[in-house]
Amino acid sequence: MSALDAGASSGPVSDAAHPRRAVDRLLAGNAWLVFAFLYAPILVLVVLSFNSNRIVGVWQEPTLRWYRDLLQDQAVLRSLKNSLIVAAVSTTVATVLGTAAALSLERFRYRGQRLFDGLLYLPVIIPDVTMAVMMLLFFVQAFDLILIATGTSPNLGLGTISLSHIAFNISFVAIVVRARLAGLDRSLEEAAADLYASSWQAFRRVTLPLIAPGVLGGALLALTLSLDDVVITSFVSGPGSTTLPVYVFGLVRRGVTPLINAVSVVMLVGSMLLVIASLIVQRQRND
Amino acid sequence: MSTLTTPPDAGPEPDSGLLAPETEGLEEKGERRRGRRGFLIGAPSLAYLVLFFAIPLGIVLVYSFATRSRTGLTILGDWNLDSYQRLADSLVLEIFWRSLWLAGLSTIICLLLGYPLAYYLATRPPRLRAVLLVLVMIPFWSNFLVRTYAWRVLLASDGPMSGVLGWIGLGDVRLLFTPFAITLGLVYGFLPFMILPLYASIERLDFSLVEAARDLYGSGWQAFRRVTWPLSRPGVIAGSILVFIPSFGAYVTPEILGGSRTTMIGSYVVRQFLSARDWPFGSALSFAILAVMLGAAVLYFRSGGKNL
């Protein structure tokens, strides 16, 4: 099918076939190289996390010791718990809001839609650092106002982290759900309406089941992003509300230790499982 | 892949001019009522984004015109352009150019590695293609911090890479905390951002055009230069922007792999907030990053790109 195969086998230009095969081989070589580049560092990290030597780079013998230490590390466990709370809350809210935004933009036409559309894409492309600064200044200002109005002020913590994560996750969920909606046959929804289904019934019985893979895929993506975020979280977290990536980032800056290797591998495997689940779910066709 | 392909553009507004005159009023009314319902469905999300995104953006803008007191507090009220003037300081400019340079270099390397890979992927049989694509996606969404940390382990002075270098006789080359390490980290972190849009545009390409070019005695290089490359340009531009923007504003990568003499603008912004306590200046810096980002985005839309 491909141009490369066609060129390599067609008769009249056979003298041109040799450079083509060479090109094809170069392409394959580059592919191997890139895949090795993408996966080798991860593999090395996984292997080294089982190294019993305290000097990470020098292999001694395999051990599970660092993983056992991890299970007893209170700071790690506490920040993991925080991460899970924030991820659960922000994913739930962002999935509902993101799906609603996707439906609204993809299925209806109204004035000001373009503006909404633009606003929805900004959180995806804005650099983390800028968004972190935005959220910090916003909460500081909002807390000042609350202090003036009520006499007491809330603190930075799990609440502000969750609110910030929702702000970027809405966009990611909306993009995934929109992609799904765009590929759907609209006539099914119209048929439901023709059969006197109320708009809620049509949504509940027809649209929602059809977009479910997109919604679930988006939710898993939101979960991953929430569990991964370092920069924004570190700006809007208060004392005692450190999440796992923020805690690990603090450790990493001080150097490489076997314990960080073990936490890293746990985080990596966790996020990979979520991604794979998300991809599988999104791939499902509606049969 | 679905996350990178924009849903098709909103399309033309319903053209009421085509309706028969007697039904126009009714149709329009129904259309408007439907539109209002659509707006109400989206309203909570819109309100959330306005409150927790648009307003914060406005606050940063306001702060960038404020003054820092000597104790590090921000004084709102004494508005001025001092923070923006400081953007022209030689230290700031140095950091700014370094960020541009490292981000640009990383983008070019990603393009050089990513284009042939995307082409390779797009010309594989469908089944293999799906598998390879998933292999690109997995690191794309895996924990970024950990993937960057892996290079810190690899490049450490007692780490595997130094061992390899020593073994081939290069001896004591310091790898960590150099611009090299940062570039490597950025390429590693953002390469999938380049591959996926490139793949999307090459896969859509009509290969019979390439064959036609060959039939007309174009060389392989000419066919690529005149047909494949121009047709895949939207992917090239989208991928370049998707790599360039996060590289330019990167914070985690230079913090973990860079040193004190390789500060990038993202780290410099964070320093203004977390240690120097100069919020107005930090806000102005954030807007400088935004300006670069918007410049890149405008460039993208000018060139007629659509599939971000």
Side-chain angles (χ1 to χ4, degrees), chain A residues 20 30 37-39 55 97 104 107-109 121 133 137 141 163 166 176 178 228 253 261 271-272 282, chain B residues 2-3 7 10 34 38 45-46 48 53 63 113 135 139 142-143 149 158 188 214 251 255 273 279:
Chain A
R20 279 222 186 168
N30 175 73
F37 175 61
L38 286 176
Y39 283 93
I55 302 162
L97 289 178
S104 164
R107 281 292 183 263
F108 300 92
R109 295 283 160 262
Y121 275 94
V133 169
L137 295 188
Q141 277 304 305
L163 287 170
I166 294 167
V176 175
R178 272 184 91 171
D228 281 7
R253 292 165 76 164
N261 289 352
S271 71
M272 280 192 168
Q282 281 184 66
Chain B
S2 51
T3 49
R34 225 182 107 72
S45 325
L46 180 60
Y48 196 97
F53 193 86
Y63 263 75
L113 289 174
L135 284 177
S142 300
N143 196 296
Y149 171 73
D158 58 354
Y188 187 65
R214 298 288 298 186
Y251 168 65
E255 280 302 300
F273 284 91
W279 292 15

Side-chain angles (χ1 to χ4, degrees), chain A residues 1-6 13 16 20 24 27-28 30-35 37-42 44-45 48 55-58 93 96-98 100-101 103-104 106-111 113-114 116 119-123 125-127 129-131 133-141 162-164 166-167 170-172 175-176 178-179 182 186 199 221 224-225 227-228 230-231 234-235 245 248-249 252-257 260-261 264-265 267-268 271-272 275-276 279 282-283, chain B residues 1-14 31 34-39 41-46 48-57 59-60 63 76 112-114 116-117 119-121 123-124 130 132-139 141-147 149-154 156 158-160 184 187-188 191-192 195 207 210-211 214 217 220 242 245-246 249-252 255-256 265-267 269-270 273-274 279 282-283 286 289-290 293-294 297 308:
Chain A
M1 263 309 276
S2 79
L4 292 165
D5 300 344
V13 281
R20 279 222 186 168
D24 210 12
L27 284 173
N30 175 73
W32 280 102
L33 203 80
V34 172
F35 279 117
F37 175 61
L38 286 176
Y39 283 93
I42 296 175
V44 171
L45 184 66
L48 288 180
I55 302 162
V56 171
V58 184
V93 179
V96 174
L97 289 178
L103 276 169
S104 164
E106 195 62 35
R107 281 292 183 263
F108 300 92
R109 295 283 160 262
Y110 49 86
R111 247 131 71 93
Q113 201 171 20
R114 290 251 158 150
F116 185 10
L119 187 60
L120 197 63
Y121 275 94
L122 265 180
I125 53 169
I126 206 161
V129 170
T130 311
M131 183 138 179
V133 169
M134 286 163 46
M135 299 323 286
L136 173 67
L137 295 188
F138 171 75
F139 286 122
V140 167
Q141 277 304 305
S162 302
L163 287 170
S164 309
I166 294 167
I170 288 178
S171 308
F172 283 98
I175 289 174
V176 175
R178 272 184 91 171
R186 226 183 250 224
S199 44
L221 188 62
T224 320
L225 291 169
L227 287 172
D228 281 7
V230 177
V231 188
S234 64
F235 265 62
V248 171
F249 182 59
V252 168
R253 292 165 76 164
R254 270 175 271 151
V256 171
T257 66
I260 306 177
N261 289 352
S264 297
V265 170
M267 286 164 73
L268 193 71
S271 71
M272 280 192 168
V275 181
I276 293 170
L279 288 175
Q282 281 184 66
R283 222 156 245 281
Chain B
M1 197 186 86
S2 51
T3 49
L4 271 173
T5 26
T6 311
D9 207 41
E13 297 293 317
E31 195 65 51
R34 225 182 107 72
R36 205 178 307 137
R37 206 174 70 220
F39 175 76
I41 291 171
S45 325
L46 180 60
Y48 196 97
L49 287 174
V50 168
L51 182 61
F52 292 104
F53 193 86
I55 290 178
L57 195 60
I59 293 176
V60 178
Y63 263 75
L76 295 173
L112 291 178
L113 289 174
L117 181 71
Y119 192 94
Y120 181 77
L121 290 183
T123 51
R124 288 315 95 187
L132 292 178
L133 209 54
V134 168
L135 284 177
V136 176
M137 299 281 289
I138 291 171
W141 291 116
S142 300
N143 196 296
F144 185 80
L145 171 66
V146 171
R147 289 196 297 133
Y149 171 73
W151 280 104
R152 171 118 181 196
V153 174
L154 281 171
D158 58 354
L184 191 64
V187 170
Y188 187 65
L191 182 59
I195 296 172
F207 279 106
V210 182
E211 276 166 47
R214 298 288 298 186
Y217 301 104
L242 285 177
I245 290 174
Y251 168 65
V252 170
E255 280 302 300
I256 294 180
I265 198 159
S267 314
V269 170
V270 172
F273 284 91
L274 300 187
W279 292 15
S283 301
S286 304
I289 294 180
L290 267 183
M293 190 198 96
L294 287 179
L308 197 69

Side-chain angles (χ1 to χ4, degrees), chain A residues 59-272:
Chain A
W59 181 262
Q60 222 163 38
E61 53 184 357
T63 176
L64 282 173
R65 180 173 154 210
W66 313 115
Y67 288 94
R68 270 199 300 274
D69 284 3
L70 199 64
L71 290 174
Q72 271 135 30
D73 191 313
Q74 287 309 312
V76 167
L77 294 179
R78 211 176 315 122
S79 51
L80 175 64
K81 193 178 136 208
N82 286 339
S83 273
L84 293 176
I85 293 171
V86 169
V89 171
S90 69
T91 300
T92 310
V93 179
T95 303
V96 174
L97 289 178
T99 305
L103 276 169
S104 164
L105 287 171
E106 195 62 35
R107 281 292 183 263
F108 300 92
R109 295 283 160 262
Y110 49 86
R111 247 131 71 93
Q113 201 171 20
R114 290 251 158 150
L115 214 62
F116 185 10
D117 211 357
L119 187 60
L120 197 63
Y121 275 94
L122 265 180
V124 177
I125 53 169
I126 206 161
D128 282 1
V129 170
T130 311
M131 183 138 179
V133 169
M134 286 163 46
M135 299 323 286
L136 173 67
L137 295 188
F138 171 75
F139 286 122
V140 167
Q141 277 304 305
F143 289 173
D144 272 0
L145 289 180
I146 293 171
L147 184 65
I148 292 167
T150 66
T152 55
S153 155
N155 289 315
L156 291 174
L158 295 184
T160 49
I161 299 173
S162 302
L163 287 170
S164 309
H165 284 199
I166 294 167
F168 63 73
N169 270 338
I170 288 178
S171 308
F172 283 98
V173 173
I175 289 174
V176 175
V177 176
R178 272 184 91 171
R180 178 84 191 175
L181 268 171
L184 273 190
D185 184 1
R186 226 183 250 224
S187 59
L188 287 168
E189 290 159 79
E190 278 158 14
D194 286 348
L195 295 168
Y196 300 104
S198 70
S199 44
W200 169 251
Q201 280 173 320
F203 170 72
R204 181 72 195 74
R205 298 295 183 85
V206 180
T207 315
L208 192 59
L210 287 175
I211 61 170
V215 175
L216 201 57
L220 287 168
L221 188 62
L223 201 63
T224 320
L225 291 169
S226 177
L227 287 172
D228 281 7
D229 181 71
V230 177
V231 188
I232 297 166
T233 308
S234 64
F235 265 62
V236 296
S237 64
S241 64
T242 314
T243 60
L244 189 58
V246 173
Y247 178 69
V248 171
F249 182 59
L251 293 180
V252 168
R253 292 165 76 164
R254 270 175 271 151
V256 171
T257 66
L259 185 79
I260 306 177
N261 289 352
V263 190
S264 297
V265 170
V266 171
M267 286 164 73
L268 193 71
V269 170
S271 71
M272 280 192 168

